[in-house]
Each structure stands twice: as structure tokens, then as C-alpha cells.
Amino acid sequence: MKKSWKNILVIAIVSILVIAGVVQLKGVGIGEMHIDGQADPWLAQCVTKGEVEATTWITERTSPDDRFVADIFGGELIMGMTTRVPIVGGDWANAQNATQNMADAEKIYLTKSPGEASSLCKKYNCTYVFVPLQRQIHAGYGWKDVEVTKFSNPNYFELAYENHDVQIYRVVY
Amino acid sequence: MKIKDRQILLFAIICAALWYRAPILKGYIIPTFGNTMYHVGIIRKTIETMHYPLYELSYGGGFRHFYVPAYRLLIASLAIVSNVDPMPLSGIMTIAIAIFIIMMVYALAYRIYSNHYVGLCAAFFFVLSPELTIFTSRALPQLLGLFMIPLTLYFVIREQRLLSILAAMATALTHQMTLLVLALTLLAYSILQIKDRDKFLLAFVPFLAACATYGVWQLYTMQTLNIFNISQVKYHEGIVVDWKLFARAGLVVIPFSIIGFIRTFLSTHVSRDCKLLMLSWFVVTLLLTKNELFGVSIFMDRFFTFWVECMVIFAGFGLFYSLKCLDEHLSKVET
């Protein structure tokens, strides 16, 4: 067989491999048929733009000693951008009661009782609660909806910062 | 200097890898899955205090660190030198290190099979593997670990004794899971070479150096050599690698890696040392990936990434061999 034909065959084989590989990486959608990519979802940002913007306020207006209630992604954002300490997120290797922290953080977000949320915040000496508005929270036990209304009770929390994506409440001590 | 076909092809593969990873820098923040921002936090703290913190920011803070520092110190040093914030810099370095890994896989495959096109095929499969793409698109210490393993094995193959010791020590300070993969691979290889004193020591000394380095670091940070009380071990963090997860190695990678694996050990062109090293790497990562079968059940899915890294080198040889067979077969066809 002529060399040029062999080259075409090699290019065809490699092209098929490239197409198959890219479909698996990025997925494909033709009409109603859709194949999900396996790599793309792992590049998600999880937190919203407004949450990232809020970290500037945290850096400028809170003390390095302030502690935050946040979910895992919010907590890691706060750590990454401000070095403030959240009650969940990061490396749990040597944490004393990491699973308790996760359960309590989730309870703070999910409970309808402002008193219960406040006492759990105080258990960890937290001064602020980071409340995402445009996404669910994940404190270690799956994605859940936040019960936001309770944070409006001025006996327990006061609004310190807000934008379209997030509210930050100061815990009333 | 004449640019050769293979250099253009390698450049094209790197461009493809860059194209896929470019969106990392377009977002308002780097991809956040897998604790990426936590590492940025420790990097930022290091820059602020000019001291690598001994105590955690995680989970309420106030307890001692477990993590090793090399990746974070690398980013922190570059952030200080360049005056770029560690968050975007982590994204930039993710792309840079990913490119270095691809080139390292190319170099190791070339060194093992003494053929540039096998290296190119391995780099090609690296770019098409979802598993390797996922772990080379996020700002994590494992990213650097995925570079350190082929680098150290390259030095072992080249019999660069000092460099292999230094690379093994650096790996020990890069990422604990990477260290375990490397240490066990070196140990397995040294045992397989036990009849040849020089070759035994070539792998065994870096193994000892890596273990000692990590031991000293852990004594410094955690003040104990015991790691059985950490949460990852206590709560058996990890996901079983079932067939669905296994497919993430790459549907185009898997068949060629099987061909490459078989042909490597049948080939008379691949040296015995290279065969034994690849066998050690493959078996160690396979056993670590399926560690739930031995009742361990820790980080199976994370060890899987290192198995896939080994698989793409076999796959590179598998594709090269298949194309070579095809070429020989077609040459017999009369036109």
C-alpha cells in the first residue's frame, strides 16, 4: 500500500481516538441526545461570584480572630481569601470532632429556630454566619437548602453585609 | 536547529492540554472542588506571616497540621517573588505543572521504550484521560505529586543516584498519598532487583530517604509517627473504584493499556530493569487502588489516579505497537 494511504489511515485512527476521548472528557449534545462529560463537572467553582466579592469585606471589616459558620465550600473560600477560621472545610486529619462540626454547621443552616442556631454558633465561639443565597450548602452530608428567615431575628443575629449572592450575619452575644 | 515532526506533535498535544485548562483562568475563582481554596488559605497565611503555619485553619482551627509543605511553599515562594495573589497564581501554576507532567510522562515513556513515538502516544493518552485531566486541572498538592513520581522513576531508570534520592525526598514533602505510591514502588522494585546489589540500592536508598524525610517532618508537625488516629484513616475516607469509576481512566486508554502491558513483557526491546520498574509501579498502584479488598478502604479513588498515570505509559506503547503492526501488515498488501 502507498505511504500516503497509510498516513491517511493513521490520521483517521488517531482522529477517532481524539473524538472519543474529547466526548468522554467534555460530553456532547446533539438534539435531545446528551452525553455528560466526565471531567468538566470537576472544574466547577461551586461558590458564587458574590460570595467571592464578600471576602473583600471580610478581610477589611473583620478581625483575623473572628470565626465563621460556613459550609465546606464557603469555609474554604473564607480560608483561601481571608485566612479566617471556619468551623467546617479544609483538612480534617487532626480535627477533634470534625463530624460533630459538620453536623452542627448543617443544623445552623437548616433549623428554623434562631435560638438553636445562635446557641450552636456560640458553642464554637463563632462571630459571623456566612449565608449563601443562590446555592445550596454542603456541610459534609450532601447539598441542602438554607433556612434563611431565622437569621432576621434581631435578638440573635444582625445583618453585617449583603449582596445578591450572600448575607453575612453577626452573632449577637 | 531543525524542528522535527515529533517536537511539533508534542507541541500540539501540549496546546490541546492548554486549551482544555484555559478556562481555569477565565473564572472569578479557580475550580473549588477538592479543597483547592483551603490550600490557598495556608499559602496566604504563609505569605502573611512568612512562616509555614504549624496549626490549622480548618474545622475551627487550633490543632496541628498533617499536610506536608512542598506544594504550598512552592506557590507561596512564587507569589512572593512575582507579587501575584496566591489564588490566581495557583490557577496559573496548575496549568504550568500539568504541562510539566505531560512532558515528564513523555520523557519517561521515551526512556523506558527508547522510542520518541511511544512517548508521544503516552502524552496523547494522558491528555485524553478524564481521570488525569481532573487531577491536573485543580490546584492541589497531588498535582505536584503526579509530576514527582515519573520524575523520580526517570532518575532511577537513568541510574542518577543522587537525583533519585533528592526527588524521593521532595516527593515525601509533596503529598502523603504520592509518597506511599512512590515508596512502595521503589521498595517493590528494589526487592525484584535484590540479586543485584547496585540496582537494589539504586531504589532502596531513595525509598529509605523518602521514608526518613517524611518521618522527620511528621515528628516536627504532629509530634508523633502514628497516623492511625487521623480522620481519613478513622473514617475510611475514599470511594471504591468500581467499573464506572474505572472507565474514567479513559475509554480509549484502557484497551491500549492492556495491549501495551502484555506487549511490554513480551518485548525483547524493553530492558529487564524497565520492565521490573513498570511492573512495580503497576502492581503497587493496582493494590493500593483496590485496598478495600484487604480491609483497608482508604483513598482508593485517589490512588487510582496514580494507577492511571502508569496505564497511559503502557497505553502509549500499546498504540505505537498497534500502529506498527498495522503498518507492517499494510506493507505486505500489494497496490
Side-chain angles (χ1 to χ4, degrees):
Chain A
M1 187 178 267
K2 278 183 182 174
K3 198 179 174 187
S4 58
W5 282 105
K6 282 199 284 191
N7 287 345
I8 290 169
L9 191 60
V10 168
I11 290 168
I13 291 168
V14 172
S15 300
I16 291 166
L17 294 176
V18 168
I19 292 166
V22 171
V23 167
Q24 198 188 2
L25 277 174
K26 294 189 72 66
V28 67
I30 303 168
E32 289 186 3
M33 190 195 79
H34 190 82
I35 301 169
D36 289 331
Q38 286 192 306
D40 273 9
W42 291 90
L43 299 183
Q45 285 148 334
C46 301
V47 295
T48 56
K49 196 173 181 181
E51 290 176 73
V52 179
E53 285 167 8
T55 58
T56 306
W57 180 86
I58 294 173
T59 305
E60 289 171 357
R61 303 293 292 275
T62 68
S63 155
D65 297 328
D66 278 321
R67 293 157 69 89
F68 282 75
V69 173
D71 72 328
I72 287 175
F73 292 102
E76 289 176 356
L77 173 71
I78 292 167
M79 265 191 273
M81 299 304 285
T82 74
T83 69
R84 306 294 189 266
V85 173
I87 62 169
V88 296
D91 183 18
W92 67 333
N94 291 327
Q96 286 300 309
N97 287 304
T99 52
Q100 188 62 51
N101 286 33
M102 291 176 192
D104 286 342
E106 187 175 285
K107 192 78 181 166
I108 290 167
Y109 283 114
L110 267 53
T111 182
K112 289 184 176 172
S113 162
E116 185 184 26
S118 172
S119 60
L120 284 170
C121 291
K122 288 171 183 172
K123 176 181 169 185
Y124 292 94
N125 294 321
C126 287
T127 36
Y128 291 96
V129 187
F130 188 83
V131 185
L133 302 174
Q134 305 296 337
R135 66 171 177 89
Q136 294 180 304
I137 57 101
H138 193 313
Y141 300 105
W143 293 99
K144 309 272 171 72
D145 288 321
V146 182
E147 170 54 49
V148 184
T149 321
K150 63 175 172 284
F151 294 115
S152 307
N153 188 323
N155 294 325
Y156 298 99
F157 301 99
E158 58 185 36
L159 186 65
Y161 171 89
E162 70 174 329
N163 65 33
H164 181 254
D165 291 337
V166 67
Q167 291 177 333
I168 300 174
Y169 289 91
R170 190 176 294 112
V171 180
V172 176
Y173 275 85
Chain B
M1 188 183 80
K2 192 183 171 202
I3 297 173
K4 294 172 182 165
D5 289 352
R6 59 174 183 260
Q7 290 165 331
I8 294 169
L9 287 169
L10 183 60
F11 181 70
I13 291 168
I14 287 169
C15 285
L18 281 171
W19 164 76
Y20 187 79
R21 286 162 182 79
I24 294 171
L25 302 177
K26 280 188 187 162
Y28 50 86
I29 196 164
I30 58 173
T32 53
F33 264 122
N35 311 121
T36 57
M37 288 303 289
Y38 153 62
H39 295 290
V40 175
I42 300 294
I43 293 163
R44 197 179 294 282
K45 189 83 178 171
T46 305
I47 296 166
E48 282 174 6
T49 60
M50 296 302 276
H51 178 77
Y52 187 73
L54 269 180
Y55 288 88
E56 270 294 348
L57 299 172
S58 316
Y59 288 91
F63 54 89
R64 281 183 166 264
H65 247 306
F66 172 64
Y67 243 96
V68 277
Y71 168 79
R72 292 149 166 198
L73 290 179
L74 172 70
I75 306 294
S77 312
L78 290 170
I80 291 164
V81 170
S82 65
N83 205 23
V84 175
D85 185 89
M87 196 275 286
L89 187 66
S90 296
I92 294 166
M93 285 306 293
T94 298
I95 296 171
I97 296 170
I99 301 308
F100 279 116
I101 299 170
I102 292 168
M103 290 197 284
M104 198 62 242
V105 165
Y106 164 82
L108 182 62
Y110 159 66
R111 186 56 60 185
I112 286 167
Y113 295 100
S114 304
N115 187 304
H116 286 288
Y117 290 99
V118 177
L120 281 173
C121 292
F124 170 73
F125 281 123
F126 189 104
V127 174
L128 290 181
S129 165
E131 179 69 14
L132 292 172
T133 302
I134 289 165
F135 280 92
T136 56
S137 300
R138 294 178 300 157
L140 297 167
Q142 185 168 350
L143 174 77
L144 191 56
L146 286 165
F147 172 73
M148 292 309 298
I149 285 190
L151 178 73
T152 312
L153 299 183
Y154 181 89
F155 289 141
V156 171
I157 286 293
R158 292 291 311 269
E159 302 194 3
Q160 302 270 6
R161 290 165 200 280
L162 182 61
L163 288 174
S164 55
I165 292 167
L166 290 174
M169 290 168 76
T171 306
L173 297 176
T174 298
H175 184 238
Q176 278 96 337
M177 275 175 270
T178 309
L179 166 65
L180 191 58
V181 169
L182 181 68
L184 291 180
T185 301
L186 292 172
L187 181 64
Y189 179 70
S190 58
I191 290 169
L192 290 171
Q193 296 278 28
I194 202 151
K195 287 181 180 170
D196 185 328
R197 186 176 173 274
D198 273 0
K199 285 179 179 162
F200 169 79
L201 290 175
L202 184 67
F204 195 69
V205 175
F207 160 76
L208 285 181
C211 293
T213 304
Y214 180 71
V216 169
W217 173 261
Q218 196 177 298
L219 276 175
Y220 168 65
T221 53
M222 281 174 52
Q223 299 178 322
T224 173
L225 284 174
N226 180 15
I227 60 159
F228 293 103
N229 289 330
I230 65 169
S231 295
Q232 286 89 340
V233 175
K234 211 159 50 179
Y235 296 109
H236 294 278
E237 184 178 342
I239 299 167
V240 173
V241 179
D242 55 12
W243 289 110
K244 193 180 169 198
L245 187 50
F246 179 68
R248 220 166 68 181
L251 294 174
V252 295
V253 174
I254 295 165
F256 287 103
S257 68
I258 295 168
I259 297 168
F261 182 84
I262 295 165
R263 289 310 310 175
T264 297
F265 296 101
L266 293 176
S267 171
T268 52
H269 298 293
V270 184
S271 75
R272 182 179 172 274
D273 293 348
C274 290
K275 284 180 185 174
L276 292 181
L277 189 67
M278 287 302 289
L279 182 67
S280 304
W281 189 10
F282 186 86
V283 172
V284 162
T285 47
L286 170 61
L287 293 177
L288 286 170
T289 300
K290 295 306 293 176
N291 70 54
E292 83 275 8
L293 299 176
F294 315 106
V296 181
S297 295
I298 300 167
F299 286 133
M300 299 78 80
D301 52 324
R302 303 294 294 275
F303 290 121
F304 175 57
T305 316
F306 297 102
W307 188 29
V308 179
E309 193 176 32
C310 176
M311 281 169 65
V312 293
I313 292 180
F314 283 123
F317 184 58
L319 177 60
F320 174 78
Y321 176 79
S322 302
L323 291 175
K324 192 164 166 279
C325 286
L326 186 70
D327 180 56
E328 284 168 6
H329 183 73
L330 292 177
S331 297
K332 292 174 191 165
V333 178
E334 287 184 22
T335 54

